[in-house]
Amino acid sequence: MTIFCSHCHRPLQAEMSCLPRRGKQAPSASKPFRSTKSASKARRDQINVELQALRSLLPISAREKERLSYLHTMALVCLRMRGAQLFPPDSAPPVGPALGTELLSLLPGFLLVLSANGKLVYISENVDQVLGLSMVELLAQGDTVFDILAGRTHEDVRKKLLLAQEQPGKEVMFVSEMRTSKAFRLQHGGNQAVAVRGRFMALRWPASPSTTAFLALC
């Protein structure tokens, strides 16, 4: 009896096929197991070194530096970078961290500086007297003025800032609730209503969004 290949229909001898037989595959050598724990630890150690270097550059006390978390450190670094962009070292900023504690204590509120897009650039140290939160704690809420506002006044504040930006030098005023510490809310029954009075000013010429800032007394 003739046997035909089911593949090409050619006659075959018994136990033959025209299809190529699969050769025996050599067992693959097992890959050595590599632990990623040491690599992850090395990365974490490097990050800690870099963060420590950043902390050492911040113009705050050594006690405050020790209490800074990763989030607080990066928030302060971003704040300083925005401030350096608006107030270069060769310029004389109208407000800044150089203001003494005695001078700040004479103010009826705290000073606030915003960039053209509402980013926080400067908050004076006496903010804790008004909101019960230190400047560092307030920055942990976010990096824009809208992050430190409480309630549903974001859109009203946005309109006021746009109006002030369209008319540089013209003072605008708005009242909004600002975030406060838990102890403050327990003592006073809620967040703090703060009146903000300020104006956009050109810090350098030619004036542009990157060279203008909103300076306010809160």
Side-chain angles (χ1 to χ4, degrees), residues 128-202:
D128 60 335
Q129 300 174 10
V130 181
L131 302 180
L133 290 172
S134 68
M135 183 261 292
V136 175
E137 292 170 333
L138 198 62
L139 284 175
Q141 307 291 332
D143 63 350
T144 73
V145 65
F146 306 104
D147 294 321
I148 66 175
L149 299 180
R152 302 180 179 180
T153 59
H154 290 196
E155 191 59 32
D156 292 337
V157 173
R158 196 183 306 274
K159 290 179 180 178
K160 289 287 187 178
L161 292 177
L162 286 175
L163 177 63
Q165 193 171 6
E166 292 171 356
Q167 303 178 20
K170 181 179 179 180
E171 184 177 86
V172 297
M173 178 179 176
F174 56 87
V175 178
S176 180
E177 285 188 24
M178 290 193 176
R179 299 186 183 277
T180 56
S181 65
K182 183 178 181 181
F184 183 97
R185 293 192 299 273
L186 291 175
Q187 181 179 357
H188 299 283
N191 289 309
Q192 178 75 297
V194 179
V196 181
R197 299 177 60 181
R199 66 189 69 189
F200 268 98
M201 297 181 61

Side-chain angles (χ1 to χ4, degrees), residues 102-120:
E102 294 181 359
L103 179 59
L104 289 174
S105 65
L106 299 177
L107 296 175
F110 63 93
L111 299 176
L112 179 69
V113 181
L114 306 175
S115 66
N117 57 359
K119 293 281 189 178
L120 298 171

